[in-house]
Amino acid sequence: MADKHNKPTLNVAVVGNPNVGKTTLFNGLTGMSQTTGNYPGVTVERKVGIVEHSGLRMELIDLPGTYSLAARSPDEMIVVDILLGQAKSEKPIDVILAVVDATNLERNLYLVSQLQELNLPLVIALNMADLAEKRRIGIDTEHLSEMMGAPVIPVCAHKRVGIPLLKEALARSAQDKVHSREHGPDFPAELIAEVNALQDYLNEHQNELGRPIHRFEALRVLIDRDGYAEKRLLAVLNGHLGDMLVERRARIAKAGSLTALESRTRYRWIRSILAECIQAPAERIESSSDQLDRFLTHPVYGVIVFVLAMAFVFQSIFNFAEPFMEFIEDIFATTGNRLGALLPAGVLNSLITDGIISGVGAVLVFLPQILILAFFIALLEDCGYMARAAYLMDKLLSRCGLSGHSFIPLLSSFACAIPGIMATRTISNRRDRFTTILVAPLMSCSAR
C-alpha cells in the first residue's frame, strides 16, 4: 500500500501486556504525545502514529494492553479483530510489534506465543533492558531471536535507546515477510485436528458469517469456553455449533480443561526457551520499586498512606480551586449586571442575564475543581501510585461486588460521571462493569 506521496505504507500493530512501556515506546517511535498510565487497560481505544524510515511510511496502531488473546469482552476482542484483519474500516496488519518486559519474560512471552500463531511478521521489542541489567538478568538476544523466529531488539523506551534499530527491524521484517508460526509451542495432535476440522466447518458458513475464519480464531473458539469469540459466532450460527463445540471439547479435554492444557503447553515451551537464553541470579534482586510496593500495598501502612493521599487530593481541590471559582463567579456576575442594566426589563433581559449568563456561569464555576482533580489523577497515574491504590482497594471493593479495576472509574466520577463511565471499559468482567456504571453517578460531584 502507498500513500499520496507514493511511499509504501506498512501497517504495524503495537501489542503488549499492560505496564510494559508499550505506549511510551509508541511515543518514542512516532513522536506523538500519548496518555501513559500505570494500570491495566489505559489504552482502551487504538491510537495511530506515523513513522518514516528508509523510504517507508509506517502507520503504527497502539492497541489496548492485554495479557492474552483469549478475549472475554468486546474491548479485548478489538485486539484480535485488528490483528486478524477483521475489524471494519481497518487496514490489514503487515507487521506485529510485540513489546515485552525484559524483567518478566516468562509472563510476557505467553502473549507472544499467541501472536506467533497469527502467521504475520513479528518483531519483539525487549523493553526495560536497563532494568534487567540492574537486576543482573543476562539475556542472549541473538539466541532468543533464533528460538522465537523473530527479531528481538533491546530497547529502553523512556530513554529512547534502541529506537533506530527497532525501526530498521520493523521495515526489514515487513519487506522480508518472515513468519514465526513454526517456532511456537507444539500442541497435542488431537487438538490441532479438532481446530482444523472446526475451521473447515465455520468456513463452510462464510456467507452467514460474512467473513472467513482464521485458524487462530477457531482455536480460541474451541479453547475459550463462553469466551467472546464463541458468543459472537453462536449469535449467528444458532444451529449445531454449540453441540459440536461440546463434543469436540469432550474428546480433547479428557484429563482437564482446554484452558489448562493451553497454559501448560505454552509455559512448557516458554521455560525451555528461557532456560537456554536467560541467566539470572538464584534470588531475585529487590529494587527500590519493590520496596516501595511492599510499603504502599501493606494492609496497614498502605491504607494510612492511601487515606492521607486522598485527603490531601480532595482538600487541595477545594483550597486551590476556591479563588479561581470566585474569580469566575465575579466575571459572570459583573457581565450579567452590566448587560442587565443596558437591556430593557422584560423576557429578553431575563433570558440573557438569568438564563444564558447565569446558567453558563453556574456550570463553568466548577471547571477549576474538575481540572485540578484531573491533574492529580494524571499525576498519580504517572508516578505509579494509582495501580498500587487499585490493588489496595480490591479487597474492600470486592465486598461491594466490585473489583480493584473499579477504583479508577469511581475516582474519575468525582470530577464527572461521564468519563468515569467511559473508563469502565477497562473492566473485563461484564457484571463488574455494569455495576460500576450504575454506581458511578452516585459519586459526590460538585457540579451536580
Side-chain angles (χ1 to χ4, degrees):
M1 187 178 298
D3 65 357
K4 61 183 179 180
H5 301 293
N6 296 322
K7 285 185 179 180
T9 301
L10 303 174
N11 296 304
V12 182
V14 185
V15 191
N17 292 175
N19 301 323
V20 297
K22 179 172 60 68
T23 304
T24 304
L25 181 60
F26 178 81
N27 293 341
L29 286 167
T30 63
M32 293 178 62
S33 177
Q34 291 275 331
T35 301
T36 305
N38 289 312
Y39 61 92
V42 65
T43 316
V44 175
E45 296 177 350
R46 63 111 174 151
K47 304 200 170 47
V48 178
I50 303 299
V51 178
E52 294 192 4
H53 181 77
S54 300
L56 291 174
R57 185 176 183 270
M58 292 181 281
E59 186 174 275
L60 270 62
I61 304 174
D62 186 14
L63 296 178
T66 180
Y67 291 105
S68 168
L69 296 183
R72 293 289 176 182
S73 70
D75 292 329
E76 292 176 337
M77 200 65 194
I78 290 175
V79 180
V80 180
D81 283 340
I82 292 179
L83 292 174
L84 294 179
Q86 296 176 350
K88 295 181 180 179
S89 70
E90 293 290 346
K91 303 171 186 175
I93 297 300
D94 297 306
V95 188
I96 299 175
L97 172 58
V99 185
V100 301
D101 180 359
T103 66
N104 198 351
L105 283 177
E106 183 172 341
R107 185 186 70 185
N108 283 236
L109 290 182
Y110 188 94
L111 175 62
V112 176
S113 70
Q114 294 178 328
L115 294 173
Q116 288 178 314
E117 295 162 7
L118 299 176
N119 204 28
L120 287 169
L122 175 69
V123 175
I124 301 172
L126 200 64
N127 197 21
M128 305 184 194
D130 57 334
L131 186 57
E133 186 176 351
K134 289 181 181 178
R135 294 182 178 179
R136 301 176 188 173
I137 301 175
I139 304 175
D140 187 345
T141 55
E142 292 186 5
H143 190 34
L144 180 61
S145 178
E146 292 176 4
M147 299 195 72
M148 297 296 297
V152 178
I153 311 297
V155 297
C156 185
H158 69 284
K159 296 179 181 178
R160 304 296 190 263
V161 175
I163 299 296
L165 291 176
L166 187 58
K167 292 180 181 179
E168 179 64 31
L170 288 172
R172 188 171 58 251
S173 294
Q175 292 173 330
D176 295 343
K177 297 186 182 299
V178 177
H179 302 165
S180 57
R181 180 174 172 179
E182 63 273 12
H183 293 268
D186 296 324
F187 288 101
E190 56 269 23
L191 174 60
I192 296 175
E194 294 290 352
V195 169
N196 292 335
L198 178 61
Q199 183 188 12
D200 293 338
Y201 170 80
L202 293 173
N203 279 326
E204 290 175 1
H205 296 79
Q206 282 191 41
N207 293 335
E208 298 173 62
L209 297 172
R211 57 183 173 81
I213 297 298
H214 192 280
R215 183 178 180 276
F216 181 77
E217 186 175 1
L219 174 67
R220 298 266 50 96
V221 170
L222 189 62
I223 292 180
D224 303 330
R225 186 189 302 270
D226 296 326
Y228 190 74
E230 177 187 352
K231 292 178 180 178
R232 189 168 62 173
L233 293 180
L234 286 174
V236 180
L237 303 177
N238 294 320
H240 303 290
L241 179 59
D243 295 334
M244 176 188 294
L245 291 176
V246 173
E247 294 175 3
R248 293 184 184 278
R249 287 166 179 159
R251 283 198 293 266
I252 305 168
K254 297 177 181 177
S257 70
L258 290 181
T259 303
L261 173 64
E262 179 188 21
S263 298
R264 288 195 302 269
T265 304
R266 293 192 188 280
Y267 278 118
R268 188 185 306 116
W269 174 75
I270 291 170
R271 286 165 186 149
S272 67
I273 289 178
L274 297 183
E276 296 187 29
C277 303
I278 304 296
Q279 290 184 345
E283 295 185 2
R284 186 174 183 272
I285 298 176
E286 191 176 66
S287 64
S288 57
S289 178
D290 296 329
Q291 297 173 356
L292 198 60
D293 284 341
R294 191 166 61 251
F295 177 77
L296 293 178
T297 58
H298 192 274
V300 177
Y301 305 130
V303 172
I304 294 174
V305 172
F306 173 78
V307 171
L308 293 176
M310 293 299 104
F312 173 78
V313 168
F314 286 100
Q315 187 64 28
S316 299
I317 290 172
F318 293 100
N319 289 338
F320 293 163
E322 187 174 355
F324 297 101
M325 295 173 69
E326 293 177 353
F327 177 70
I328 293 175
E329 284 181 336
D330 292 341
I331 289 179
F332 279 91
T334 303
T335 304
N337 292 335
R338 290 183 178 179
L339 284 177
L342 294 175
L343 296 173
V347 177
L348 181 62
N349 186 311
S350 179
L351 172 65
I352 295 177
T353 58
D354 299 331
I356 298 177
I357 296 178
S358 296
V360 173
V363 174
L364 291 182
V365 73
F366 296 102
L367 185 61
Q369 288 185 330
I370 295 174
L371 293 178
I372 292 174
L373 178 58
F375 166 76
F376 275 111
I377 290 176
L379 183 64
L380 292 173
E381 286 176 358
D382 289 340
C383 73
Y385 182 72
M386 197 66 82
R388 297 176 174 103
Y391 172 81
L392 194 65
M393 292 296 292
D394 183 75
K395 188 174 182 179
L396 175 63
L397 292 175
S398 63
R399 297 178 181 177
C400 306
L402 302 172
S403 68
H405 293 288
S406 303
F407 172 71
I408 307 299
L410 294 180
L411 183 60
S412 302
S413 298
F414 277 99
C416 182
I418 294 175
I421 291 173
M422 293 176 64
T424 60
R425 290 180 296 177
T426 64
I427 304 174
S428 58
N429 185 282
R430 187 174 183 271
R431 177 186 171 279
D432 290 351
R433 184 165 62 251
F434 277 93
T435 305
T436 307
I437 289 173
L438 294 174
V439 172
L442 303 180
M443 294 294 102
S444 176
C445 171
S446 297
R448 266 204 313 279

